[in-house]
Amino acid sequence: MGSNLSSCVCDDGDGGSLKPRLGDIPESCVALVLMYLDPLDICKLARLNRAFRGASLADFIWESKLPLNYRFIMEKALEDDDDDAFSMEDLGKRDVYARLCKPSLFDNGTKEIWLDKKTGGVCLAISSKALRITGIDDRRYWSHISTEESRFHTIAYLHQIWWLEVEGDIEFRFPPGSYNVFFRLMLGKSSKRLGRRVCNSEHIHGWDIKPVKFQLTTSGGHVVSQSHLDNQGQWILYHAGTFVSKDSNDLMKIKFSLTQIDCTHTKGGLCVDSVFICNSGVGKGVGCFCR
Amino acid sequence: MSGISDTERMITLKTVEGTLFDVKSSIAKDLKTVQAFIDDSDDDVTSPIPLPNVFTRELSRILDYLNNHHRFRSGIEKADEEMARYDAEFAKSMSHEELKALILAANYLNVKDLLEFLNQTVADVIQNKSVEFVRNFFGIENDYTPEEEEKLRNENEWAFNGVEQD
């Protein structure tokens, strides 16, 4: 190394013509710059030239974007997948990241997990099939409807009931951070008529009388909030609460519920799709949830 | 060299234009390339060390940065704030051309802290910008064949597939 310094000959003739071009920067240096950008920018800039593409594949860049416990998340993502025989260790870290950004069903198809592309934040969706709904087996109250408007292709529809109680829980190791919990709900039943989306509001009633109650329980505490359901014909993410994960090694048990048990009035015409949990850094929640 | 403590020893560096810089050996330690040269020469360096890839403007800036950071680190209160303010001014004072030239010099001389700072600064400039902008900034040309570009588009499809713009 030392001998290079004094014996290095400037082949470009006089020093003045050696105008520094950043294209001369070694790939390793480019990779260091890329690490400060978000994954989408990194993939976009891979198009610049071959050196940039090479730099964009550096494992250390993607290790820094992956959640701390990405191996655990990978296990969940591949749980239901018998065909995926590839070994995770063989994949470059960028490919691991790409794979985890693809929504994967687990727990017998009742839950789905993916990483938000831009931030690497963990997102979870829990199907209505995995929720405990009081009276779900009674056809007078509830029915299951197949629909393309749910990522699980099925939702629970409430005709009418006095005692509305929807609850569920999940055990998971969340990367450190703050997470929002939402219930994805819609007033009214939607269907397609002659190719157009139509909303049937015949059963909607009771929501303007009293609000519904959302509860969220973790080892860190218990949060209660109230909200009036509205916006007929539109899927809305109702915020049930926020929790914080301190350590990705902690197996956290999150419990959430939606209730309206005031028995002086009935309510109905409600679609329950799922519960959605995502890292607070994920943009706007709504946009990233829709397929 | 007996009797002279390390912090007092001066190293002389020579830039492309032939300008000489006297640098304290404690500062020279941060120029890892230079330090390696000194180590290899068994500490017996008296003549100016030529830096054939480094221009006066860049070396001057680098030494400025290092001198200031050493000053901040030598125990003044609130050094972090002052250092952050200095860094911000330092970055702002350079044009894109100068920034690029400085990265090349800092990379050649292997100045770790400065390089990290410059990398972050460049990343801030190119973040969320178009491919053309970044191409211009770096002064590089697209060396892909159309087939390679197609392959690359498929490779990165996962990143752009279904991304909603807020």
Side-chain angles (χ1 to χ4, degrees):
Chain A
M1 177 71 166
S3 59
N4 284 349
L5 209 59
S6 52
S7 62
C8 178
V9 174
C10 238
D11 282 337
D12 296 78
D14 56 53
S17 74
L18 204 144
K19 189 181 168 166
R21 293 179 315 137
L22 219 57
D24 302 335
I25 282 198
E27 216 173 89
S28 52
C29 209
V30 173
L32 288 171
V33 173
L34 289 181
M35 192 166 71
Y36 291 101
L37 302 175
D38 72 50
L40 301 185
D41 259 344
I42 296 173
C43 289
K44 182 174 75 182
L45 295 184
R47 283 159 52 193
L48 248 51
N49 65 6
R50 291 191 185 130
F52 264 76
R53 176 179 172 273
S56 76
L57 291 175
D59 266 356
F60 73 82
I61 294 180
W62 297 96
E63 288 246 23
S64 76
K65 307 294 179 199
L66 284 166
L68 284 175
N69 61 342
Y70 70 89
R71 288 190 161 84
F72 166 77
I73 294 172
M74 198 72 174
E75 265 170 41
K76 288 287 178 194
L78 296 180
E79 202 178 83
D80 282 358
D81 228 327
D82 297 320
D83 301 325
D84 257 319
F86 64 79
S87 160
M88 194 184 61
E89 298 306 318
D90 294 339
L91 282 188
K93 295 293 183 276
R94 188 205 57 177
D95 292 334
V96 172
Y97 188 89
R99 174 63 184 83
L100 292 182
C101 286
K102 193 177 94 159
S104 305
L105 289 168
F106 67 101
D107 208 356
N108 285 320
T110 63
K111 303 190 172 81
E112 202 166 41
I113 183 168
W114 69 98
L115 298 186
D116 172 59
K117 287 176 213 198
K118 194 170 158 76
T119 62
V122 168
C123 301
L124 282 168
I126 297 150
S127 163
S128 55
K129 292 267 179 160
L131 301 175
R132 288 178 295 279
I133 302 178
T134 307
I136 190 69
D137 291 325
D138 191 326
R139 295 276 207 85
R140 289 173 295 171
Y141 306 137
W142 291 92
S143 56
H144 292 284
I145 298 182
S146 292
T147 171
E148 283 316 299
E149 294 185 359
S150 161
R151 55 174 60 236
F152 299 103
H153 307 297
T154 180
I155 55 115
Y157 179 69
L158 172 68
H159 309 277
Q160 169 175 287
I161 204 168
W162 280 280
W163 188 283
L164 169 65
E165 186 173 22
V166 177
E167 50 147 15
D169 58 68
I170 185 167
E171 269 190 342
F172 201 81
R173 293 183 213 273
F174 292 92
S178 159
Y179 293 82
N180 290 316
V181 180
F182 300 93
F183 275 81
R184 188 167 186 260
L185 309 169
M186 177 169 76
L187 289 183
K189 200 190 336 183
S190 93
S191 55
K192 280 258 171 78
R193 199 159 296 159
L194 300 174
R196 289 184 65 227
R197 185 178 184 268
V198 169
C199 177
N200 181 334
S201 55
E202 69 177 309
H203 295 127
I204 302 179
H205 69 284
W207 305 108
D208 44 358
I209 300 176
K210 292 270 176 66
V212 303
K213 190 159 81 163
F214 292 106
Q215 294 184 75
L216 176 66
T217 311
T218 65
S219 57
H222 182 79
V223 175
V224 183
S225 61
Q226 294 189 345
S227 188
H228 277 280
L229 303 186
D230 52 21
N231 283 87
Q232 296 185 16
Q234 277 184 291
W235 285 105
I236 306 285
L237 289 175
Y238 289 91
H239 188 234
T242 302
F243 67 89
V244 172
S245 168
K246 300 241 171 70
D247 189 339
S248 56
N249 288 319
D250 290 344
L251 187 60
M252 291 186 77
K253 183 155 185 178
I254 316 292
K255 285 160 69 155
F256 32 82
S257 71
L258 152 69
T259 53
Q260 195 353 292
I261 56 175
D262 183 333
C263 289
T264 61
H265 68 285
T266 66
K267 36 263 168 206
L270 172 70
C271 285
V272 176
D273 170 36
S274 56
V275 168
F276 174 50
I277 302 177
C278 73
N279 182 287
S280 303
V282 174
K284 303 276 193 303
V286 182
C288 74
F289 185 87
C290 303
R291 294 206 134 170
Chain B
M1 296 283 130
S2 59
I4 300 178
S5 74
D6 239 9
T7 48
E8 287 177 343
R9 216 174 74 181
M10 302 298 279
I11 311 283
T12 308
L13 305 173
K14 186 164 89 167
T15 66
V16 169
E17 297 102 322
T19 318
L20 299 177
F21 285 83
D22 283 333
V23 176
K24 283 194 243 184
S25 68
S26 59
I27 301 278
K29 276 196 169 54
D30 286 343
L31 306 168
K32 296 229 171 67
T33 309
V34 170
Q35 187 58 45
F37 177 75
I38 295 173
D39 292 340
D40 276 0
S41 316
D42 289 326
D43 273 351
D44 187 18
V45 179
T46 45
S47 57
I49 301 175
L51 305 173
N53 289 352
V54 184
F55 294 84
T56 304
R57 185 184 65 182
E58 274 64 56
L59 185 59
S60 167
R61 275 211 169 98
I62 291 174
L63 294 176
D64 201 40
Y65 182 90
L66 290 175
N67 280 322
N68 272 290
H69 271 238
H70 273 239
R71 200 166 55 81
F72 290 134
R73 274 201 293 266
S74 60
I76 314 171
E77 281 180 25
K78 290 217 204 157
D80 281 343
E81 259 181 48
E82 276 204 62
M83 204 144 76
R85 232 175 312 156
Y86 172 80
D87 283 354
E89 274 310 309
F90 186 78
K92 257 196 296 196
S93 71
M94 289 186 282
S95 68
H96 287 176
E97 279 308 313
E98 292 167 354
L99 178 56
K100 292 189 295 190
L102 194 57
I103 286 193
L104 283 171
N107 185 56
Y108 175 79
L109 290 170
N110 199 354
V111 190
K112 186 167 165 293
D113 284 348
L114 175 58
L115 255 182
E116 262 172 35
F117 172 67
L118 292 176
N119 287 335
Q120 170 76 80
T121 305
V122 169
D124 289 343
V125 171
I126 65 178
Q127 192 178 55
N128 287 330
K129 295 287 200 320
S130 70
V131 170
E132 294 80 61
F133 176 94
V134 183
R135 227 177 232 140
N136 277 332
F137 177 86
F138 284 94
I140 55 180
E141 283 176 12
N142 184 354
D143 58 359
Y144 286 116
T145 66
E147 294 79 37
E148 282 171 340
E149 268 191 326
E150 182 63 31
K151 197 162 156 253
L152 183 65
R153 235 194 308 274
N154 290 332
E155 198 177 278
N156 283 333
E157 207 209 340
W158 66 270
F160 304 112
N161 197 14
V163 168
E164 281 101 9
Q165 306 302 320
D166 277 20

